[in-house]
Amino acid sequence: MDGTIGDVYNKEVQRWRTGAAMTWAVITVPIIFGVYVTLANVDIFHLSQWISDSLSMMFSVYYVLVCFVVAMVTELWCCLSLPTFTVEPEVHHNPIHLALYVCSPRRLGFGLVCFLLSGATSIICTGVLMGRYQDLMTCTNRSELPVDSLYGLLDVGLLWQCLLFGWLIHVSWTLSSLLIKVYITERFCFPVESLLDDRKNQCLIDALQCDQNTMVKFLGFLDLCLLSKHSPQRRQTVFSLSQPGGHPHNWTKLSTACLAVITSLSERIQDANWQVFSEASVRPAPDDIRKPPGNHHGSVLTYRGDNVTKETAPPQPTKDVWSFWRSKPVISYLLTEFPDAKSRKLFTSAQVDIWAVEALCNLVAASFVEDKYGVVQKSLPQILTSVINLQENVEKHLKLASSGRRNGAQGPLDLPLKYVLHSSLKACIYRIINTFGVHLLNLDLPSDTSYKLRLFMDFKE
């Protein structure tokens, strides 16, 4: 079949999964709507009448028609909300960036659609209720209560109906969103290799390298991680040699893709660590602080103990204007960067790296028994070096960056990813050490990697 793996996945997999999620969302509408009608007509002083009226309403033709219309509205909301789902969280740098994101035309349009759909649903749902709330346009019960009581001042019945309808919309749409997430993120087994010519570009390695569709890439790394843990037969395909030729093409492609992801994140974290360290290390020298104000052309800065003279240019008018506005409380608040914004941006795709690290280390550990041809042994030094370097950079980043509280603090869902990655890296390194033991010391490793590996072997890390 022609087309990239992303196109094929959208046609053959994602459409069916989305349809199944929307079908289950529609099926749950009568149940949720039945609970809404039952609670809306609650009458604790006449239980038998309340139950009989609710049951008679649920088995009426009008109730079925209303359920059908509400189900179609829910399905329409599901279709319109699909573009809002993403596998990588959105990180906002400051309040003004967050405000621009919320007020973007796409978000405002979706908010307007939600407002219209919820309004239409409210008109439809209130038609089912008997009495004063069955029509929002006409007063069906002439509304007179004494105003010398709390019940007269506050319309408890209207408040109850509003709360129930808010519950109906929240539960139905939240459940629909949850069903979509569950179905779309369900594991998909990609073939490790394909003997069919029309499926050559739809294997697991193609999923790992699919940058155009991040969902396919995430599912590919998830499949590889689960393959390395629970699929001995598929692992044999990874360790197998090509015929003819006898080359480990499957292992080479998969390991290269995982190492590329690990190395890329390690380099980005290292650059961020140097930036944080340089900002924290540059400070005014004591001699410059004690120097009385006078006519001098530069300021002395200390960086790692060395005196560096930095010539200062005369203040520019533009900078003065900008500094003036930055000094205002409101402007300063809007432009102040959120805590951990840069760090969160750095680890937005850390879930892929977690799966890549676990997949590599599990395959390396399994190769001690299952690798008949020794295809993994040649890549073992490079894998150890990459994983240990990433572990060291992540550990330094956690110490340098102001990460806030790890436990007990409510925050974005992506915040724990850095800690999960750090724990996963250490666990994977220990898994390799427990499998190979002292044989790892015979590998040709860089001096830094060998030193770090000895610390792990001595349980000092």
Side-chain angles (χ1 to χ4, degrees):
M1 180 176 294
D2 297 331
T4 62
I5 188 173
D7 298 334
V8 175
Y9 175 82
N10 290 335
K11 294 179 182 179
E12 298 185 358
V13 181
Q14 185 166 344
R15 289 183 180 178
W16 289 101
R17 291 185 172 186
T18 304
M22 294 172 61
T23 301
W24 278 109
V26 169
I27 292 175
T28 58
V29 167
I31 302 175
I32 301 175
F33 194 65
V35 176
Y36 165 75
V37 171
T38 303
L39 295 178
N41 295 320
V42 63
D43 189 357
I44 59 177
F45 299 105
H46 305 85
L47 293 178
S48 59
Q49 184 68 25
W50 170 36
I51 295 175
S52 62
D53 291 344
S54 300
L55 291 177
S56 61
M57 173 58 66
M58 292 180 188
F59 288 98
S60 64
V61 178
Y62 183 72
Y63 176 83
V64 176
L65 293 176
V66 171
C67 283
F68 176 78
V69 176
V70 174
M72 293 300 101
V73 172
T74 303
E75 187 172 3
L76 178 60
W77 180 87
C78 292
C79 295
L80 296 175
S81 64
L82 284 177
T84 62
F85 292 96
T86 177
V87 293
E88 294 184 1
E90 182 73 22
V91 178
H92 307 287
H93 302 287
N94 48 41
I96 193 170
H97 184 267
L98 176 60
L100 292 176
Y101 172 78
V102 174
C103 298
S104 62
R106 182 178 178 180
R107 302 287 296 184
L108 292 177
F110 182 69
L112 178 61
V113 169
C114 293
F115 174 77
L116 295 177
L117 291 180
S118 60
T121 307
S122 65
I123 296 176
I124 297 171
C125 292
T126 51
V128 181
L129 305 178
M130 295 292 103
R132 56 183 297 206
Y133 302 113
Q134 66 180 359
D135 194 346
L136 294 180
M137 302 299 179
T138 307
C139 182
T140 58
N141 186 5
R142 297 185 179 274
S143 47
E144 296 192 5
L145 299 176
V147 295
D148 57 350
S149 64
L150 182 63
Y151 183 77
L153 294 175
L154 300 177
D155 195 339
V156 181
L158 181 59
L159 176 62
W160 174 246
Q161 298 299 330
C162 292
L163 292 177
L164 281 180
F165 176 72
W167 173 86
L168 170 67
I169 293 294
H170 175 73
V171 171
S172 59
W173 288 2
T174 303
L175 182 59
S176 302
S177 176
L178 182 61
L179 287 171
I180 293 175
K181 293 178 182 178
V182 169
Y183 271 90
I184 291 183
T185 58
E186 185 182 0
R187 178 191 179 183
F188 183 79
C189 292
F190 296 92
V192 178
E193 60 180 359
S194 179
L195 301 177
L196 302 176
D197 294 335
D198 57 348
R199 296 282 181 176
K200 285 292 185 181
N201 60 343
Q202 299 168 22
C203 299
L204 180 57
I205 182 59
D206 300 295
L208 301 183
Q209 299 174 346
C210 185
D211 296 327
Q212 294 77 16
N213 193 328
T214 53
M215 175 59 68
V216 175
K217 185 175 183 178
F218 272 65
L219 290 177
F221 277 98
L222 173 62
D223 182 40
L224 180 61
C225 181
L226 297 178
L227 175 154
S228 65
K229 295 180 180 179
H230 311 296
S231 303
Q233 294 182 351
R234 299 181 71 194
R235 287 200 299 263
Q236 286 299 321
T237 307
V238 174
F239 299 144
S240 63
L241 301 179
S242 63
Q243 297 296 332
H247 300 288
H249 292 310
N250 294 332
W251 166 252
T252 302
K253 293 178 181 178
L254 294 177
S255 61
T256 302
C258 292
L259 288 174
V261 171
I262 295 174
T263 304
S264 176
L265 179 62
S266 182
E267 292 176 351
R268 296 199 305 270
I269 297 177
Q270 186 176 9
D271 295 339
N273 291 346
W274 275 110
Q275 183 178 0
V276 174
F277 183 79
S278 61
E279 292 175 355
S281 300
V282 177
R283 56 184 175 84
D287 295 338
D288 189 61
I289 295 178
R290 293 192 296 266
K291 185 181 299 183
N295 186 15
H296 56 278
H297 300 285
S299 59
V300 181
L301 303 179
T302 299
Y303 180 74
R304 294 189 178 182
D306 298 330
N307 292 333
V308 180
T309 302
K310 179 182 179 182
E311 295 294 335
T312 57
Q316 300 294 331
T318 306
K319 294 182 180 180
D320 293 341
V321 174
W322 179 248
S323 301
F324 170 77
W325 285 108
R326 285 291 298 265
S327 62
K328 301 300 180 181
V330 177
I331 304 299
S332 177
Y333 169 77
L334 292 177
L335 297 178
T336 301
E337 190 177 75
F338 288 133
D340 274 356
K342 294 181 179 179
S343 180
R344 287 181 53 204
K345 186 68 175 179
L346 199 61
F347 290 92
T348 51
S349 61
Q351 185 61 66
V352 168
D353 299 272
I354 294 173
W355 288 331
V357 169
E358 292 183 352
L360 274 182
C361 295
N362 288 327
L363 289 174
V364 168
S367 68
F368 188 78
V369 177
E370 301 177 7
D371 186 8
K372 301 178 182 179
Y373 307 103
V375 298
V376 179
Q377 310 303 322
K378 297 180 180 180
S379 306
L380 189 54
Q382 185 180 6
I383 293 174
L384 274 175
T385 302
S386 300
V387 173
I388 289 179
N389 287 341
L390 178 59
Q391 189 273 336
E392 186 176 6
N393 289 327
V394 172
E395 190 170 8
K396 289 181 180 178
H397 183 81
L398 295 180
K399 294 179 180 179
L400 290 175
S402 57
S403 304
R405 296 176 59 186
R406 176 178 177 178
N407 298 321
Q410 296 182 354
L413 296 178
D414 62 288
L415 197 58
L417 281 179
K418 62 179 77 173
Y419 303 107
V420 176
L421 176 60
H422 182 250
S423 301
S424 179
L425 286 166
K426 297 185 68 173
C428 291
I429 294 174
Y430 278 119
R431 187 178 300 118
I432 295 177
I433 292 176
N434 293 335
T435 302
F436 290 89
V438 295
H439 299 289
L440 296 175
L441 299 177
N442 299 325
L443 297 176
D444 185 15
L445 298 174
S447 58
D448 296 341
T449 304
S450 299
Y451 174 76
K452 196 75 174 180
L453 184 61
R454 287 182 180 273
L455 293 179
F456 276 101
M457 297 181 71
D458 295 337
F459 297 98
K460 294 182 180 180
E461 283 289 339

